[in-house]
Amino acid sequence: VFVEVKSRTHSEDTIARFGRACEAVDVRKQRCLLAAARAYCAKNTTKKKVRMDVVEVYFQNTDTPVLHSIHHMPDAFRIE
């Protein structure tokens, strides 16, 4: 399992301006992650299914980081 973790401050303003954290894993980023996964798998043989997950981490909008929520998206995109 390969995981990309993205974080944001949890506020309506932040989401309106920048979108959800998972939206930062666009097609360009997915291509980079897939290339890294392919390179890893080429050097480390495995019979297990490869999976690409995305995890969103949201923090409360405070002076010190306080966890608001975590969202895990298994199989967020496919390796071909």
Side-chain angles (χ1 to χ4, degrees):
V1 176
F2 295 87
V3 180
E4 178 71 3
V5 179
K6 293 295 186 186
S7 64
R8 294 268 189 280
T9 300
H10 187 277
S11 72
E12 294 300 321
D13 181 54
T14 301
I15 292 172
R17 290 176 62 201
F18 301 107
R20 292 183 50 203
C22 67
E23 293 171 358
V25 187
D26 58 12
V27 173
R28 183 195 62 80
K29 182 69 171 181
Q30 289 176 21
R31 285 187 189 128
C32 290
L33 294 168
L34 291 170
R38 285 188 186 104
Y40 178 86
C41 290
K43 291 186 178 189
N44 301 279
T45 307
T46 181
K47 295 182 191 238
K48 296 181 180 181
K49 179 183 178 274
V50 174
R51 193 176 83 199
M52 307 299 287
D53 292 5
V54 174
V55 174
E56 294 178 313
V57 179
Y58 289 98
F59 295 97
Q60 292 178 7
N61 194 10
T62 58
D63 292 336
T64 57
V66 176
L67 182 64
H68 178 271
S69 60
I70 299 173
H71 301 124
H72 176 218
M73 289 158 270
D75 244 347
F77 54 97
R78 300 276 176 176
I79 188 165
E80 301 291 327

